[in-house]
Amino acid sequence: MSRHDGRQPNELRPVQIERPYFGSAPGRVLISAGRTTILCTASLSEDLPPWKLKSENPTGWVSAEYNMLPGSTAPRKSRRTDGRGTEIQRLIGRSLRAVIDFQTLGPRMITVDCDVIQADGGTRTLSITGGFIAFVDAVRSVEDPTFDPSAVFLNSVAAVSVGVVNDVPVLDLDYPEDSTAQVDMNAVMTGDGNIIEIQGTAERSVFSRDQLNQQLDLAAAGIQELTRIQQTALGDDWPIADR
Amino acid sequence: MSRHDGRQPNELRPVQIERPYFGSAPGRVLISAGRTTILCTASLSEDLPPWKLKSENPTGWVSAEYNMLPGSTAPRKSRRTDGRGTEIQRLIGRSLRAVIDFQTLGPRMITVDCDVIQADGGTRTLSITGGFIAFVDAVRSVEDPTFDPSAVFLNSVAAVSVGVVNDVPVLDLDYPEDSTAQVDMNAVMTGDGNIIEIQGTAERSVFSRDQLNQQLDLAAAGIQELTRIQQTALGDDWPIADR
Amino acid sequence: MSRHDGRQPNELRPVQIERPYFGSAPGRVLISAGRTTILCTASLSEDLPPWKLKSENPTGWVSAEYNMLPGSTAPRKSRRTDGRGTEIQRLIGRSLRAVIDFQTLGPRMITVDCDVIQADGGTRTLSITGGFIAFVDAVRSVEDPTFDPSAVFLNSVAAVSVGVVNDVPVLDLDYPEDSTAQVDMNAVMTGDGNIIEIQGTAERSVFSRDQLNQQLDLAAAGIQELTRIQQTALGDDWPIADR
Amino acid sequence: MSRHDGRQPNELRPVQIERPYFGSAPGRVLISAGRTTILCTASLSEDLPPWKLKSENPTGWVSAEYNMLPGSTAPRKSRRTDGRGTEIQRLIGRSLRAVIDFQTLGPRMITVDCDVIQADGGTRTLSITGGFIAFVDAVRSVEDPTFDPSAVFLNSVAAVSVGVVNDVPVLDLDYPEDSTAQVDMNAVMTGDGNIIEIQGTAERSVFSRDQLNQQLDLAAAGIQELTRIQQTALGDDWPIADR
Amino acid sequence: MSRHDGRQPNELRPVQIERPYFGSAPGRVLISAGRTTILCTASLSEDLPPWKLKSENPTGWVSAEYNMLPGSTAPRKSRRTDGRGTEIQRLIGRSLRAVIDFQTLGPRMITVDCDVIQADGGTRTLSITGGFIAFVDAVRSVEDPTFDPSAVFLNSVAAVSVGVVNDVPVLDLDYPEDSTAQVDMNAVMTGDGNIIEIQGTAERSVFSRDQLNQQLDLAAAGIQELTRIQQTALGDDWPIADR
Amino acid sequence: MSRHDGRQPNELRPVQIERPYFGSAPGRVLISAGRTTILCTASLSEDLPPWKLKSENPTGWVSAEYNMLPGSTAPRKSRRTDGRGTEIQRLIGRSLRAVIDFQTLGPRMITVDCDVIQADGGTRTLSITGGFIAFVDAVRSVEDPTFDPSAVFLNSVAAVSVGVVNDVPVLDLDYPEDSTAQVDMNAVMTGDGNIIEIQGTAERSVFSRDQLNQQLDLAAAGIQELTRIQQTALGDDWPIADR
């Protein structure tokens, strides 16, 4: 069986990265997977959240915001924040925070903004994959000779969606697949293959442990490939594999 | 190894159900698991959401709201809605909708409200387990001789948390465990053991496929037990196992 | 004449108090009068309101929040805050503050939350009667050997509704009475019979001074009885009568 | 004893009425009592509130809004709506609705806006006294030969504050008195001396039945005088006494 | 050609100023131009905006708020803030700030509130003309012997609307003219004839440079006259012309 | 004198247009002028605003939204809507509506979204210039043989900023110029040189009629050039000059 766009079940959509993209933030990455296109920017400031400031030696923090531009879908997406967006930006934030040594980051605030420019499925996982690159760029931009950006990262993070479409587990669903999938799953993993977060939802349906395992196998392989793409983008002087 | 409250790793907290509890909604259940105590009410109306009304023969809908009462925690929880609450109520709604035949439900709106009265970990999963019972009660209260409430439900649904605490996978974490867990996972399953949703998050850490599998085994067994408790509450004339 | 539920005009509904109820706040009281059931919790903190902090030696403060749970009425009550709720929580706050010596309370913030679990008339007055008990419990929980909780209270406070139904003044209206009453009055008094607040409203009607006086007589007697019930709940070692 | 401004305890502040004042609403009254000055406008429309439209033959409705202009106090009052304003506008609305025959009013919506231009105590009661006049003017402006405006009003309504200052009950408190009063009471009565609403609050204090009665005597006499002032303003062809 | 109210194209509506008007702010001016009537108050405080406080020696600030009272138009204007109001209050603020030496003003916050009591066209420009007078009064009220209020003002400011109605450029449009104008322009100028702000909008139409110039000529003459009216109001001891 | 970036006073920044850009809206244009880069998308729907639907044969409507992406500036721009944004999107909407024949457009709703990706001055005027192209593309995408898109447009529209920097009038200010300008002016004109809107503001300063005229000359020439750029983008088969 081949998929509606000719891909194999275990095949990612082609990934493109444009970097540094337009903008004024220290990290700015335009990432696309097939038609899905997201602008990930990472900004740096010293305005820590209030609850951080209560401690005497506050460490840094990373927070994420996710937004779909109105023209990214047809019909137009209203700018009103909705529950789905809130849920997604919390996921992105947790995923990025999982690979950070906050002590080393120091009292710095990083905000990763993921603005979807073209939506065709998989926006939340691509936001994580691209957001990580923007995040690294922002940390690398710190001008402080006593600060070692590479020590901030315990690992790399990438994410991908998997699902069951017409009873077949497939990797990296686009919108036509996503909207007919029986199961929709998002996996967030480190570059060395451990799990940071998995979320699997049956869409008005259910799934078995076997199906879960098949999907996780697909996801693990896909994330390995995305990690190689991130490594290529970041360059050899920034090894993400062997931290 | 035994846990801080003496439980075995695979042991649920004792569950209590008071039903019908105080209130005016057709479904009203006070459910507790150890110290965690939640009031689940299910209300019935004919006010479908606007997007449902656009179709000519609108089917019903189920939506959930989750809220922590201010006195459920110390220090006091502010009444302001936050992102965590939004995320949780979306999970509860999806979980309940997964076992419903909306065609059979007809143009009816069910709102399941989960108000946490005492919070000690596992409020989102207990909301699903208790919310399902309130939901059944609300559907059973429909006064219409042509309506068969039992045909509305394709299955039962229950949920439980699992996690890794001090490197040991454990079932049904209470707050002291939850706040020190390396991994925190919520599983939502049907009465016959299929998965509706799983969400596993490493708390500033990561976990392996093996750990994931150990946790899912614990969760599956725990949900089986919770399903028996739901069956006992609903009574033998409402078989939830063999739909 | 007897009332629709068989009570005499000057007869209260039976009052039940469950204490300490579920929850994590130092004061937590489930109080019911007939079918009306309210969870009153009182929390303690050192987060004084900003306007208090402007003075050099800020004294404490007491504030109240009132909320009807969605399942407390049928049809379901939306969670949106409305003008009625704002008005009621201001009344509860004023009533509790009237019996407090803020100097003795010291720089402590008490928040009394009144969450209606079942609504059948008289929720605002029962919130005051039950809220006072939760309030005392919270003040008693202060762990400070130099602090005398009993000196904080100048008096006790309880409240009851009265009204004119079918031209007869009656005490403690339930919802069916309230919705047909010509006059609806709420009285808040101290344990020794002085008035803290009275609010009497003709419902699209008017009333005379004579009717006002008859109602106040009923209210005074009702509040005396409620004070005895509060005294019983708080115990003999906490005399509320002879401060 | 005389008061700080030389008035007797039972003496109202001088009342001025400018009518029709600037504006475009059919009813527009600038009313002052001493320094307190309020612009009351009454607008007429056919936009009934949604809950009214559910009935087949909807009758009219009257709603009120209360607002303090920023420059009405020093320091400046922020434009943010607060709980006090909500409480006051609900009182004004209830008071005006008490004297209306909604059947006769027909499917008309009246909105009475009370904007405080200068605040010196007693703004909520003066809003009612002045709002009634604007309300009558708006009803009189209906251009419909089959409509009898005088049949809409069952009675007139006026309001005044009373209080206990330095242990003496006094009528119509200004701000310096109000801010030191032991008891603060608002009475709303019809032109023929019946009570629509009374609200009496001890300010961190209590009061007795005797004090209540003394204050109600003062209020009744004050409202009689305000009714005469309303009658003079409305003119002899609009008798408010003998409906 | 004469205009619908008999004015010449270059003729202002008659201006009335009542000052000090009711209120408690140090500056309070009721200004009218024909039927358009606005209450301008200017309040003084030491609560500078947060962004000002970041500098070590914060200078003062001037901010404006614009609001239409509900009864100022028929049908009634809702109290909800809209985009038009936001745009207008930003214009008023910019216009007033253009003539101020903030260094001399010192760390003082002035808020100019413009509440429209009767709307008949030209409310934004009349708010500026009247707001300037209230502003001067507020600055003059500062009680500090080392402070020279006259040194705060670099110039005076007044504003007027111009437009093209039936192909004829006219000064100071009222509402009937405004609603049929092909071009609507607002000019804000200093007392000595320089431009602070011009905003010209074709209403679903366009206009030429020639028409622009004709309108600016009208505006300049009109503002000269308004400046004389401001001078008369402020008195000879406050010369606004020769700063 | 040459400018800090070497441009002549009357020289535009280089303009780049990428079209169709990523996205799902029928019109999508990435436009840049120097470093300022804006994504303009135009969406088409049949959801007319409620006030349009009150007429029997509602014509279409055009509305605009303006937003700065968080990473478009450093420090990061918060996503909160502010008064400046409201003012700008109202300007964009008015400008686009000025060149439309709504009767011909028919009952269609066009929303033009301008999301700033990189901000370096002149974002509001570039939004208009680029938004017009996206708007044309959206209208051209209507699939209806009876509809003539070219008849919808009465004219073209483009905009540019001018200002006085170091006493010299200059065209198309970038951010360093804008932040030190004495006068800041935005001109919106049609392709045939008529004015749709001009807004000129002295930044805590004033300007003369002469300066105004010099700036308008610069703006007119700049807009002519921008119109040629629009014409090139839209192609010869869409003549914007001779409507």
Side-chain angles (χ1 to χ4, degrees):
Chain A
M1 184 220 79
S2 88
R3 294 156 77 178
H4 81 104
D5 60 355
R7 278 189 288 156
Q8 293 302 310
N10 67 347
E11 194 178 343
L12 290 176
R13 291 177 286 181
V15 175
Q16 307 283 347
I17 290 172
E18 203 173 329
R19 163 174 165 271
Y21 192 66
F22 297 110
S24 303
R28 43 190 198 276
V29 169
L30 188 78
I31 189 166
S32 61
R35 296 189 69 252
T36 294
T37 307
I38 301 175
L39 172 54
C40 303
T41 58
S43 300
L44 196 66
S45 87
E46 301 190 352
D47 290 337
L48 290 171
W51 58 268
K52 269 281 171 187
L53 294 174
K54 286 183 182 164
S55 98
E56 278 207 22
N57 287 304
T59 62
W61 191 243
V62 177
S63 122
E65 299 196 1
Y66 169 92
N67 181 44
M68 289 177 68
L69 292 191
S72 64
T73 59
R76 177 178 182 272
K77 172 86 170 51
S78 143
R79 288 182 195 267
R80 242 192 346 258
T81 314
D82 54 11
R84 175 183 168 275
T86 302
E87 190 175 301
I88 291 176
Q89 70 193 14
R90 286 169 55 86
L91 168 66
I92 302 171
R94 282 194 307 266
S95 299
L96 295 174
R97 286 192 292 270
V99 295
I100 297 307
D101 177 343
F102 283 101
Q103 207 64 47
T104 306
L105 178 58
R108 297 183 171 88
M109 176 74 198
I110 311 270
T111 308
V112 175
D113 288 284
C114 303
D115 286 89
V116 179
I117 286 180
Q118 189 167 277
D120 188 34
T123 60
R124 79 187 70 189
T125 49
L126 193 63
S127 291
I128 292 169
T129 303
F132 174 71
I133 300 174
F135 186 8
V136 170
D137 285 348
V139 170
R140 270 168 153 179
S141 80
V142 171
E143 293 181 358
D144 175 350
T146 71
F147 176 75
D148 175 9
S150 79
V152 168
F153 293 89
L154 306 171
N155 220 314
S156 69
V157 53
V160 79
S161 76
V162 279
V164 177
V165 179
N166 298 327
D167 299 317
V168 180
V170 293
L171 179 68
D172 191 20
L173 289 66
D174 63 11
Y175 182 75
E177 290 175 327
D178 190 59
S179 58
T180 58
Q182 298 141 270
V183 182
D184 178 17
M185 193 155 185
N186 295 294
V188 185
M189 296 190 191
T190 59
D192 55 8
N194 279 305
I195 303 171
I196 291 174
E197 179 136 354
I198 53 167
Q199 294 190 342
T201 308
E203 300 288 332
R204 305 215 197 154
S205 170
V206 298
F207 59 109
S208 65
R209 280 290 287 278
D210 274 359
Q211 288 175 308
L212 172 63
N213 281 322
Q214 291 169 328
Q215 291 178 76
L216 286 174
D217 291 344
L218 281 178
I223 285 177
Q224 241 183 321
E225 198 172 330
L226 290 167
T227 301
R228 277 192 296 270
I229 293 169
Q230 289 175 321
Q231 178 67 78
T232 303
L234 288 167
D236 289 343
D237 58 328
W238 186 270
I240 63 182
D242 57 351
R243 291 179 179 274
Chain B
M1 184 218 81
S2 89
R3 294 156 76 179
H4 81 103
D5 60 354
R7 278 189 289 156
Q8 293 304 310
N10 67 348
E11 194 179 342
L12 290 175
R13 291 177 287 180
V15 174
Q16 307 284 345
I17 290 171
E18 204 173 326
R19 162 172 166 273
Y21 190 67
F22 296 109
S24 304
R28 43 189 199 275
V29 169
L30 188 77
I31 189 167
S32 61
R35 295 187 70 250
T36 293
T37 306
I38 301 175
L39 173 54
C40 303
T41 58
S43 301
L44 196 65
S45 87
E46 301 189 353
D47 291 338
L48 290 172
W51 59 268
K52 269 281 172 189
L53 295 174
K54 287 182 182 164
S55 98
E56 277 207 25
N57 288 305
T59 61
W61 192 243
V62 177
S63 124
E65 299 197 0
Y66 169 92
N67 180 44
M68 289 178 66
L69 292 191
S72 65
T73 59
R76 179 177 180 273
K77 173 84 169 50
S78 143
R79 286 181 196 267
R80 242 192 346 259
T81 313
D82 54 11
R84 175 183 168 274
T86 302
E87 189 176 301
I88 291 176
Q89 69 193 17
R90 284 169 55 86
L91 168 65
I92 301 171
R94 281 194 307 267
S95 299
L96 296 174
R97 286 192 292 269
V99 296
I100 297 307
D101 177 343
F102 284 102
Q103 207 63 46
T104 306
L105 178 59
R108 297 183 170 89
M109 175 74 197
I110 312 269
T111 309
V112 176
D113 288 284
C114 302
D115 286 272
V116 179
I117 287 181
Q118 189 166 277
D120 188 35
T123 59
R124 80 186 69 188
T125 49
L126 192 62
S127 291
I128 292 168
T129 305
F132 174 71
I133 301 175
F135 185 9
V136 171
D137 285 347
V139 171
R140 270 169 154 176
S141 80
V142 171
E143 292 182 359
D144 175 350
T146 71
F147 177 75
D148 175 10
S150 79
V152 169
F153 293 89
L154 306 170
N155 219 314
S156 69
V157 53
V160 79
S161 76
V162 279
V164 177
V165 179
N166 298 327
D167 298 317
V168 180
V170 293
L171 178 68
D172 191 20
L173 288 68
D174 63 11
Y175 182 75
E177 291 175 327
D178 189 61
S179 57
T180 58
Q182 298 141 270
V183 182
D184 178 18
M185 192 155 186
N186 296 293
V188 185
M189 296 188 190
T190 58
D192 55 7
N194 278 306
I195 303 171
I196 292 173
E197 178 137 354
I198 54 166
Q199 293 191 341
T201 310
E203 300 287 333
R204 305 213 196 156
S205 170
V206 297
F207 59 108
S208 65
R209 281 289 289 277
D210 275 359
Q211 287 176 310
L212 172 64
N213 281 322
Q214 289 169 331
Q215 291 178 75
L216 285 174
D217 291 342
L218 280 178
I223 286 177
Q224 241 183 322
E225 197 172 330
L226 290 166
T227 302
R228 277 194 294 270
I229 292 170
Q230 289 175 322
Q231 178 66 80
T232 304
L234 288 167
D236 290 342
D237 58 328
W238 185 271
I240 64 184
D242 57 352
R243 290 181 179 272
Chain C
M1 186 217 82
S2 87
R3 295 155 77 179
H4 81 103
D5 60 354
R7 279 189 288 156
Q8 292 303 309
N10 66 347
E11 194 178 342
L12 290 175
R13 290 177 286 181
V15 174
Q16 306 284 346
I17 291 171
E18 204 173 327
R19 162 174 166 270
Y21 191 67
F22 296 110
S24 303
R28 44 192 198 273
V29 169
L30 187 78
I31 190 167
S32 62
R35 297 187 69 252
T36 294
T37 306
I38 301 174
L39 173 54
C40 303
T41 57
S43 301
L44 196 64
S45 87
E46 300 190 353
D47 291 336
L48 290 171
W51 58 268
K52 269 283 171 186
L53 294 174
K54 287 183 183 165
S55 98
E56 279 207 20
N57 288 302
T59 61
W61 192 244
V62 177
S63 122
E65 298 196 0
Y66 168 92
N67 181 44
M68 289 177 67
L69 293 190
S72 64
T73 58
R76 179 178 181 272
K77 173 82 168 55
S78 142
R79 288 181 196 268
R80 244 194 343 262
T81 313
D82 55 11
R84 176 184 168 273
T86 302
E87 189 176 302
I88 291 176
Q89 70 193 17
R90 286 169 54 87
L91 169 65
I92 301 172
R94 282 195 308 267
S95 299
L96 295 174
R97 287 193 292 271
V99 296
I100 297 305
D101 177 343
F102 284 101
Q103 207 64 45
T104 305
L105 178 59
R108 297 183 170 87
M109 177 73 197
I110 311 269
T111 308
V112 175
D113 287 285
C114 302
D115 286 272
V116 179
I117 286 180
Q118 187 165 278
D120 188 34
T123 60
R124 79 186 70 189
T125 49
L126 193 64
S127 291
I128 293 169
T129 303
F132 174 72
I133 301 175
F135 185 7
V136 169
D137 285 346
V139 171
R140 270 169 152 177
S141 79
V142 172
E143 292 182 359
D144 176 350
T146 70
F147 176 75
D148 174 9
S150 80
V152 168
F153 293 89
L154 306 170
N155 219 312
S156 67
V157 53
V160 79
S161 76
V162 280
V164 176
V165 179
N166 298 327
D167 299 318
V168 180
V170 293
L171 179 67
D172 192 19
L173 288 68
D174 64 12
Y175 182 74
E177 291 175 328
D178 190 59
S179 57
T180 59
Q182 298 141 270
V183 182
D184 178 18
M185 193 156 185
N186 296 293
V188 185
M189 295 188 191
T190 59
D192 55 6
N194 277 306
I195 303 170
I196 291 173
E197 179 137 354
I198 55 169
Q199 293 192 342
T201 309
E203 301 287 334
R204 304 215 195 152
S205 169
V206 297
F207 59 109
S208 66
R209 282 288 289 276
D210 274 359
Q211 286 175 310
L212 172 63
N213 281 322
Q214 290 170 329
Q215 291 178 74
L216 285 174
D217 291 343
L218 280 178
I223 286 177
Q224 242 183 320
E225 199 172 329
L226 289 167
T227 302
R228 277 192 296 269
I229 291 169
Q230 290 175 320
Q231 178 66 78
T232 303
L234 288 168
D236 290 342
D237 59 328
W238 185 271
I240 63 183
D242 57 351
R243 290 180 180 271
Chain D
M1 185 218 81
S2 90
R3 293 155 78 178
H4 80 103
D5 60 354
R7 279 189 288 155
Q8 293 303 311
N10 66 347
E11 194 178 343
L12 289 175
R13 291 177 285 181
V15 174
Q16 306 283 347
I17 291 171
E18 205 173 327
R19 162 173 167 271
Y21 191 67
F22 297 110
S24 303
R28 44 190 199 273
V29 169
L30 187 78
I31 190 167
S32 62
R35 296 188 69 250
T36 294
T37 306
I38 302 175
L39 173 54
C40 303
T41 57
S43 301
L44 197 63
S45 87
E46 301 191 351
D47 291 337
L48 290 171
W51 59 268
K52 269 279 171 188
L53 294 174
K54 288 183 181 164
S55 98
E56 278 206 23
N57 289 303
T59 61
W61 191 243
V62 177
S63 122
E65 299 197 0
Y66 169 92
N67 180 44
M68 289 177 68
L69 293 190
S72 65
T73 59
R76 180 178 180 272
K77 172 84 170 51
S78 142
R79 286 182 198 267
R80 242 192 345 262
T81 312
D82 54 11
R84 175 183 168 275
T86 303
E87 189 175 303
I88 291 176
Q89 71 192 16
R90 286 169 54 87
L91 168 65
I92 301 171
R94 283 194 306 268
S95 299
L96 295 174
R97 286 192 292 269
V99 296
I100 298 306
D101 176 343
F102 284 101
Q103 207 64 45
T104 307
L105 178 58
R108 297 184 169 87
M109 176 73 198
I110 311 268
T111 308
V112 176
D113 287 284
C114 302
D115 285 272
V116 179
I117 286 181
Q118 187 166 279
D120 188 34
T123 61
R124 80 186 69 188
T125 49
L126 192 63
S127 291
I128 293 168
T129 304
F132 174 71
I133 301 174
F135 185 8
V136 170
D137 284 348
V139 171
R140 271 167 152 178
S141 79
V142 171
E143 292 181 358
D144 175 349
T146 71
F147 176 74
D148 175 9
S150 79
V152 169
F153 293 90
L154 307 170
N155 218 315
S156 69
V157 53
V160 80
S161 76
V162 280
V164 176
V165 179
N166 299 328
D167 299 318
V168 180
V170 293
L171 178 69
D172 192 19
L173 287 68
D174 63 12
Y175 181 74
E177 291 174 329
D178 190 60
S179 56
T180 58
Q182 298 141 270
V183 182
D184 178 19
M185 192 155 186
N186 296 294
V188 184
M189 296 188 191
T190 58
D192 56 7
N194 279 305
I195 303 170
I196 291 173
E197 178 137 355
I198 54 168
Q199 294 191 343
T201 309
E203 300 287 333
R204 304 216 198 153
S205 170
V206 297
F207 59 109
S208 66
R209 282 287 289 276
D210 274 1
Q211 287 175 310
L212 172 63
N213 280 321
Q214 289 170 330
Q215 290 178 76
L216 285 173
D217 290 344
L218 281 178
I223 286 176
Q224 242 183 320
E225 198 172 331
L226 290 166
T227 301
R228 275 193 297 269
I229 292 169
Q230 289 175 321
Q231 179 66 79
T232 303
L234 288 167
D236 289 342
D237 59 328
W238 185 272
I240 62 183
D242 57 351
R243 286 174 186 278
Chain E
M1 184 219 83
S2 87
R3 293 156 76 178
H4 80 104
D5 61 354
R7 279 189 287 155
Q8 293 302 311
N10 67 347
E11 192 178 344
L12 291 175
R13 291 177 286 181
V15 175
Q16 307 283 347
I17 291 172
E18 205 173 328
R19 161 172 166 271
Y21 191 66
F22 298 108
S24 303
R28 44 190 197 275
V29 169
L30 188 78
I31 189 166
S32 61
R35 295 188 71 250
T36 293
T37 306
I38 301 176
L39 173 54
C40 304
T41 57
S43 301
L44 196 65
S45 87
E46 302 190 350
D47 291 337
L48 290 171
W51 58 269
K52 269 282 171 186
L53 294 175
K54 287 183 181 163
S55 99
E56 278 206 25
N57 287 304
T59 61
W61 192 242
V62 177
S63 122
E65 299 196 0
Y66 169 92
N67 180 44
M68 288 178 68
L69 293 190
S72 64
T73 58
R76 178 178 181 271
K77 173 83 170 52
S78 143
R79 287 182 195 268
R80 243 193 344 261
T81 312
D82 54 11
R84 176 184 167 274
T86 302
E87 189 175 303
I88 291 176
Q89 68 192 16
R90 286 169 54 87
L91 168 65
I92 301 172
R94 283 194 308 268
S95 299
L96 295 175
R97 287 193 292 270
V99 296
I100 298 306
D101 177 343
F102 284 102
Q103 208 63 45
T104 306
L105 178 58
R108 296 183 171 88
M109 176 72 197
I110 311 269
T111 309
V112 175
D113 288 284
C114 302
D115 286 272
V116 178
I117 288 181
Q118 189 166 280
D120 188 34
T123 60
R124 79 186 70 188
T125 49
L126 193 62
S127 292
I128 293 168
T129 304
F132 174 70
I133 301 175
F135 186 7
V136 170
D137 285 346
V139 171
R140 270 169 154 177
S141 80
V142 171
E143 293 182 358
D144 175 350
T146 71
F147 176 75
D148 175 10
S150 79
V152 168
F153 294 89
L154 307 170
N155 219 313
S156 68
V157 54
V160 80
S161 76
V162 279
V164 177
V165 179
N166 298 327
D167 299 318
V168 180
V170 292
L171 178 69
D172 191 20
L173 287 68
D174 63 11
Y175 181 75
E177 291 175 328
D178 189 60
S179 56
T180 59
Q182 297 140 270
V183 182
D184 178 18
M185 191 156 187
N186 296 294
V188 185
M189 296 189 190
T190 59
D192 55 7
N194 279 306
I195 302 171
I196 291 174
E197 178 137 354
I198 53 166
Q199 293 192 343
T201 308
E203 301 287 334
R204 305 212 196 154
S205 171
V206 297
F207 59 109
S208 66
R209 281 289 287 279
D210 274 359
Q211 287 176 311
L212 172 62
N213 281 321
Q214 290 170 330
Q215 292 178 75
L216 286 173
D217 290 344
L218 280 179
I223 286 177
Q224 240 182 322
E225 197 173 330
L226 290 166
T227 302
R228 277 192 296 270
I229 292 169
Q230 289 175 322
Q231 178 68 76
T232 303
L234 288 168
D236 290 342
D237 58 328
W238 185 270
I240 62 183
D242 57 351
R243 291 179 181 275
Chain F
M1 185 218 81
S2 90
R3 294 156 77 178
H4 80 104
D5 61 354
R7 278 189 288 156
Q8 293 303 310
N10 67 346
E11 193 178 344
L12 289 176
R13 292 177 285 181
V15 174
Q16 307 283 347
I17 290 172
E18 204 173 328
R19 163 174 164 271
Y21 190 67
F22 297 110
S24 304
R28 43 192 200 274
V29 170
L30 188 77
I31 189 167
S32 61
R35 297 188 68 250
T36 294
T37 306
I38 301 176
L39 172 55
C40 304
T41 57
S43 301
L44 196 64
S45 86
E46 301 191 352
D47 291 336
L48 289 172
W51 59 269
K52 269 281 172 188
L53 294 175
K54 287 182 181 165
S55 98
E56 278 206 23
N57 287 305
T59 62
W61 192 243
V62 177
S63 121
E65 299 197 0
Y66 169 93
N67 180 44
M68 290 177 68
L69 293 191
S72 65
T73 59
R76 177 179 181 273
K77 173 83 169 53
S78 143
R79 286 181 197 268
R80 241 193 345 260
T81 313
D82 55 11
R84 176 184 167 274
T86 302
E87 189 175 303
I88 290 176
Q89 70 193 16
R90 286 169 55 86
L91 168 65
I92 301 171
R94 281 194 308 266
S95 299
L96 296 174
R97 286 191 292 269
V99 296
I100 297 307
D101 176 344
F102 284 101
Q103 207 63 45
T104 306
L105 178 59
R108 298 184 170 88
M109 175 74 198
I110 311 268
T111 308
V112 176
D113 287 285
C114 302
D115 286 272
V116 179
I117 286 181
Q118 188 167 279
D120 187 35
T123 60
R124 81 186 68 187
T125 49
L126 192 63
S127 292
I128 292 168
T129 304
F132 174 72
I133 300 174
F135 186 8
V136 170
D137 285 348
V139 171
R140 272 167 151 179
S141 79
V142 171
E143 294 181 359
D144 175 350
T146 71
F147 176 76
D148 174 9
S150 79
V152 169
F153 293 88
L154 306 171
N155 219 314
S156 68
V157 53
V160 79
S161 75
V162 280
V164 177
V165 179
N166 298 329
D167 298 318
V168 180
V170 293
L171 178 68
D172 192 20
L173 289 67
D174 63 11
Y175 183 74
E177 290 174 329
D178 189 61
S179 57
T180 58
Q182 296 141 270
V183 182
D184 177 18
M185 193 154 183
N186 295 294
V188 185
M189 295 189 192
T190 59
D192 56 6
N194 279 306
I195 302 172
I196 291 174
E197 179 136 355
I198 53 167
Q199 293 191 342
T201 308
E203 299 288 332
R204 305 211 196 158
S205 170
V206 297
F207 59 109
S208 66
R209 281 288 288 279
D210 273 0
Q211 287 175 310
L212 172 62
N213 280 322
Q214 291 171 329
Q215 292 178 74
L216 285 174
D217 290 343
L218 281 178
I223 286 176
Q224 243 182 320
E225 198 173 329
L226 290 166
T227 301
R228 277 193 295 267
I229 293 170
Q230 289 175 321
Q231 178 67 77
T232 304
L234 288 167
D236 290 342
D237 58 329
W238 185 269
I240 62 184
D242 58 350
R243 289 177 182 274

